[in-house]
Amino acid sequence: MYRNLEECVNDLEKHGHLIRITEEVDPHLEMAAIHLKVYEAGGPALLFENVKGSEYRAVSNLFGTVERSKFIFRKTWEGVQNVMAVRNDPVKALKQPIKNVSSGFSALKALPQQKKGGGPVCAREINISDLPLIKHWPEDGGAFITLPQVYSEDPDKPGIMNSNLGMYRVQLDGNDYNLNEEAGLHYQIHRGIGVHQHKATKKGEPLKVSIFVGGPPAHTLSAVMPLPEGLSEMTFAGLLAGRRFQYSYIDGYCISHDADFVITGEIYPEDTKPEGPFGDHLGYYSLIHDFPVMKIHKVYAKEKAILPFTVVGRPPQEDTSFGAIIHELTGDAVKQEIPGVQEVHAVDAAGVHPLLFAIGSERYTPFEKVKRPQELLTIANRILGTGQLSLAKYLFITAEQEEPLDTHYEQDFLAYILERLDFRRDLHFQTNTTIDTLDYSGEGLNTGSKVVIAAYGDKKRELCTAVPEELNGLETFKNPKLVMPGVVAVEGPEFKDYGTAQKEFNMFTNEMEKRGDLASCPMIIACDDSSFLSKTMSNFLWAAFTRSNPSHDIYGIRSYYENKHWGCDNMIIDARIKPHHAPPLTADAKVERNIERFFRYGASLGELDI
């Protein structure tokens, strides 16, 4: 396997998976715009050989397709899956010891290896300003590193086996940062580095941090892997790379010998600066907030180093492929972690964290004739208490009965649930709780609500396949459009405030109650543009679930409270854009015109079918 990023680049090029861009490219918006255009077309990885303002090259779209990702890891893929299977189901391994003995040796041989010196990455000491300073979206606060491997150690138990390797974006310039002296480190809640910083702060000490950039692609993927307990990111990096992670210490900082760049520095207790905005993976800008500031100690670079980067935005993007290969590698890990769960699908089109589809089990009272969610609610609480899954806002969960289900067939899965939901019983809210840091649909940073929508039992309704007549000719909400069976989008007036919204929906629901039963349309989405929302399933999943906060934005026809439980006959989700929402990402038209030169006949990308 690859010892460094250069070997990967050359291998991809040899097999037709990479194109070199020889013309000078501006890191201010142009590189990102080119990447987005090539990714959308399913194109190759890109090596930018002539980055304006920097002597260093940059590469993007390495993981742009699942097929290319598997090609990169083709020599270690099966072995890693075997190790993960043993970790996920040790009892099974004990039953088949001969078959699984090689997995144990694989893990043992992948343990990190301490070396002397700093390795090739310490060939040169440079400044932050020497790097390709890539700005991705027009309103971004500055240049960011988007594929960093951020390394920290437990202050109470120092050493590489008690370390955390995570991917947290790094802002290099802009805002109040002193270039070459400071960088912004944005990490979300539930991240390992937060535990380390908390411990360091209690001790009154700064936390030493090393940021590795580049190196074998296995190291990059390791920084985003949700690993079973007891398997460190550094060991996994060795497994996936087919070569032990090699490191040493300089000035007390861990140095990856295989990285292209290493940035070392310290985070001091309660020392923050404004970070952002940043065009993020929900398809909106994450806004300016105070986050830890890293005081730069030293920056190292190997000779002819390459800086890998990606561009995030409204899904699907390159991180979609990350999610797909992580799912394949981790296999049935979620089944082992949460008893009774069969499948959990974080819906990429909705930005991953806002929306979960899950299949559980329903075994509590098999003797009862009336089937209803029981064990499913226990499983739902386990899901919402597990790692990154706890950041979800909407959890749709059911259990298989006569027919198999697949959460990845999103329309079919949602229709199955809508056919069986009892809206007077099956909606379960959690208010004033945590949601994704990047989600601005709630009341503040990390603050919002959740709803569990659990369905089980006999089919209760036939879903409409056309807009019901009752939804035509309404006074306030107009232009109804069928989204999918059982779901209709309607356009409302521009959102002003929640007091006005309550009055608007009171008027709407009163009007609907007078028009009779609407059983075939259990879900109505209020939005700004029903034609857009209903055009594709992706538009529906993105707009409906990133633009709503369950506790504030779910209304109902014939809604009621009984013993603090809220129910209704038809659920309405207000997915209109609100004043507190972050702005959606839009490309710069001038930059889009400027990059056309790279795709003309005779240019580096002229032969791509774009």
Side-chain angles (χ1 to χ4, degrees):
M1 282 301 290
Y2 314 120
R3 292 170 296 177
N4 51 56
L5 186 53
E6 183 90 51
E7 288 186 1
C8 176
V9 165
N10 292 337
D11 185 45
L12 289 177
E13 182 181 36
K14 177 182 175 182
H15 290 88
H17 293 298
L18 178 139
I19 289 181
R20 294 174 183 263
I21 300 175
T22 57
E23 301 94 331
E24 183 180 72
V25 187
D26 195 333
H28 181 85
L29 303 182
E30 279 194 351
M31 291 171 67
I34 292 169
H35 165 98
L36 288 169
K37 190 169 184 176
V38 172
Y39 170 82
E40 186 176 3
L46 302 171
L47 182 67
F48 296 86
E49 294 193 309
N50 190 355
V51 179
K52 183 178 180 180
S54 177
E55 67 176 272
Y56 293 106
R57 298 166 292 166
V59 66
S60 77
N61 209 28
L62 283 174
F63 307 100
T65 67
V66 173
E67 292 72 26
R68 183 156 62 249
S69 299
K70 284 188 171 183
F71 177 83
I72 289 172
F73 302 119
R74 64 194 182 278
K75 294 182 180 178
T76 58
W77 187 268
E78 185 177 350
V80 171
Q81 282 189 311
N82 290 339
V83 171
M84 295 297 285
V86 170
R87 288 280 177 171
N88 293 338
D89 194 351
V91 174
K92 183 178 179 182
L94 289 173
K95 291 178 179 178
Q96 299 175 302
I98 303 301
K99 180 180 178 181
N100 291 288
V101 68
S102 62
S103 298
F105 283 118
S106 296
L108 186 64
K109 289 188 290 186
L111 292 174
Q113 183 178 34
Q114 188 167 358
K115 309 279 281 188
K116 291 184 178 180
V121 75
C122 289
R124 301 174 67 185
E125 191 174 324
I126 65 170
N127 292 313
I128 292 290
S129 56
D130 295 319
L131 298 168
L133 297 177
I134 304 170
K135 184 175 179 179
H136 298 80
W137 292 97
E139 299 304 317
D140 280 357
F144 286 82
I145 299 176
T146 50
L147 288 177
Q149 306 151 41
V150 182
Y151 176 95
S152 62
E153 295 184 3
D154 187 332
D156 292 338
K157 295 180 290 183
I160 198 162
M161 297 309 293
N162 295 310
S163 65
N164 176 76
L165 191 73
M167 189 171 287
Y168 321 120
R169 72 181 189 235
V170 179
Q171 185 169 348
L172 298 176
D173 67 1
N175 296 2
D176 298 331
Y177 300 116
N178 297 315
L179 182 62
N180 298 319
E181 297 176 7
E182 298 173 328
L185 193 58
H186 178 118
Y187 65 82
Q188 297 163 255
I189 57 175
H190 292 283
R191 301 295 189 176
I193 190 174
V195 176
H196 291 174
Q197 187 182 357
H198 176 70
K199 290 183 177 182
T201 298
K202 284 181 69 174
K203 289 174 172 283
E205 301 171 353
L207 178 69
K208 288 186 181 297
V209 174
S210 301
I211 300 172
F212 312 141
V213 187
H219 295 184
T220 300
L221 183 59
S222 298
V224 294
M225 281 293 295
L227 296 173
E229 188 174 348
L231 181 61
S232 78
E233 291 95 351
M234 316 315 295
T235 300
F236 184 83
L239 277 172
L240 196 56
R243 178 172 177 266
R244 298 172 72 175
F245 182 89
Q246 300 185 354
Y247 70 100
S248 60
Y249 288 92
I250 297 178
D251 301 334
Y253 296 93
C254 184
I255 306 295
S256 165
H257 282 216
D258 299 318
D260 285 68
F261 303 93
V262 174
I263 304 169
T264 61
E266 292 180 317
I267 300 173
Y268 286 81
E270 301 178 5
D271 190 0
T272 63
K273 279 195 172 184
E275 187 267 0
F278 177 76
D280 227 312
H281 71 260
L282 266 68
Y284 308 90
Y285 286 99
S286 56
L287 304 180
I288 296 176
H289 298 284
D290 286 346
F291 276 95
V293 57
M294 178 179 175
K295 303 292 187 182
I296 304 297
H297 178 65
K298 289 182 180 179
V299 185
Y300 303 100
K302 66 184 293 185
E303 295 291 345
K304 299 181 179 179
I306 304 171
L307 185 139
F309 74 97
T310 189
V311 184
V312 291
R314 180 188 162 182
Q317 297 294 345
E318 187 178 359
D319 52 354
T320 302
S321 300
F322 265 118
I325 60 177
I326 286 170
H327 179 74
E328 285 205 34
L329 282 172
T330 54
D332 294 332
V334 70
K335 291 185 181 180
Q336 305 304 319
E337 191 164 358
I338 306 175
V341 77
Q342 304 302 314
E343 187 177 322
V344 177
H345 172 40
V347 180
D348 182 69
V352 181
H353 289 150
L355 177 62
L356 298 180
F357 288 168
I359 300 171
S361 305
E362 195 54 75
R363 304 164 295 188
Y364 276 4
T365 52
F367 52 85
E368 288 189 352
K369 292 181 180 180
V370 178
K371 298 176 180 178
R372 59 191 177 94
Q374 296 181 88
E375 184 181 6
L376 286 176
L377 299 179
T378 302
I379 294 168
N381 284 326
R382 289 288 299 270
I383 291 172
L384 293 178
T386 301
Q388 296 298 303
L389 299 177
S390 66
L391 301 181
K393 291 187 302 184
Y394 289 85
L395 170 57
F396 288 80
I397 186 168
T398 188
E400 293 178 340
Q401 297 182 79
E402 291 79 20
E403 57 187 284
L405 295 171
D406 188 334
T407 59
H408 293 83
Y409 291 97
E410 290 152 351
Q411 180 171 314
D412 294 343
F413 181 79
L414 188 55
Y416 181 89
I417 286 183
L418 293 178
E419 288 171 342
R420 288 160 177 77
L421 269 175
D422 180 344
F423 284 96
R424 291 180 166 262
R425 180 192 66 196
D426 295 338
L427 304 179
H428 307 273
F429 289 85
Q430 294 183 15
T431 59
N432 294 319
T433 186
T434 53
I435 60 174
D436 191 353
T437 303
L438 309 177
D439 190 333
Y440 285 86
S441 64
E443 302 136 273
L445 190 67
N446 299 328
T447 306
S449 63
K450 308 178 189 300
V451 63
V452 173
I453 301 170
Y456 185 69
D458 298 330
K459 187 174 177 179
K460 293 179 172 58
R461 62 182 66 85
E462 295 293 332
L463 302 179
C464 63
T465 54
V467 174
E469 185 57 36
E470 292 87 348
L471 287 170
N472 287 309
L474 295 171
E475 185 174 342
T476 308
F477 292 88
K478 306 179 185 301
N479 197 21
K481 299 282 186 181
L482 185 75
V483 177
M484 58 166 276
V487 181
V488 171
V490 294
E491 285 180 14
E494 182 179 347
F495 182 94
K496 293 181 180 177
D497 54 63
Y498 278 109
T500 303
Q502 185 66 63
K503 294 176 183 176
E504 291 167 344
F505 284 106
N506 285 342
M507 186 184 303
F508 175 49
T509 56
N510 288 337
E511 194 172 359
M512 292 307 303
E513 287 172 16
K514 293 175 184 176
R515 294 191 175 203
D517 184 27
L518 197 61
S520 68
C521 184
M523 184 182 289
I524 299 167
I525 310 297
C527 61
D528 299 298
D529 185 346
S530 59
S531 295
F532 167 80
L533 190 139
S534 62
K535 186 177 181 180
T536 65
M537 192 70 181
S538 179
N539 284 0
F540 159 54
L541 294 170
W542 180 61
F545 298 105
T546 64
R547 296 177 181 175
S548 59
N549 176 19
S551 62
H552 288 54
D553 294 319
I554 290 181
Y555 301 86
I557 298 173
R558 298 183 184 86
S559 64
Y560 74 102
Y561 283 97
E562 183 178 337
N563 299 326
K564 301 182 181 66
H565 180 83
W566 184 88
C568 61
D569 283 355
N570 309 76
M571 182 168 69
I572 305 164
I573 299 176
D574 184 4
R576 292 177 294 176
I577 295 175
K578 284 87 177 174
H580 60 277
H581 286 183
L585 303 178
T586 55
D588 185 292
K590 183 178 179 181
V591 172
E592 293 297 305
R593 291 191 298 271
N594 286 344
I595 66 168
E596 289 176 3
R597 70 187 188 274
F598 296 98
F599 298 89
R600 292 178 185 142
Y601 179 76
S604 292
L605 303 174
E607 294 185 9
L608 291 181
D609 186 19
I610 296 178

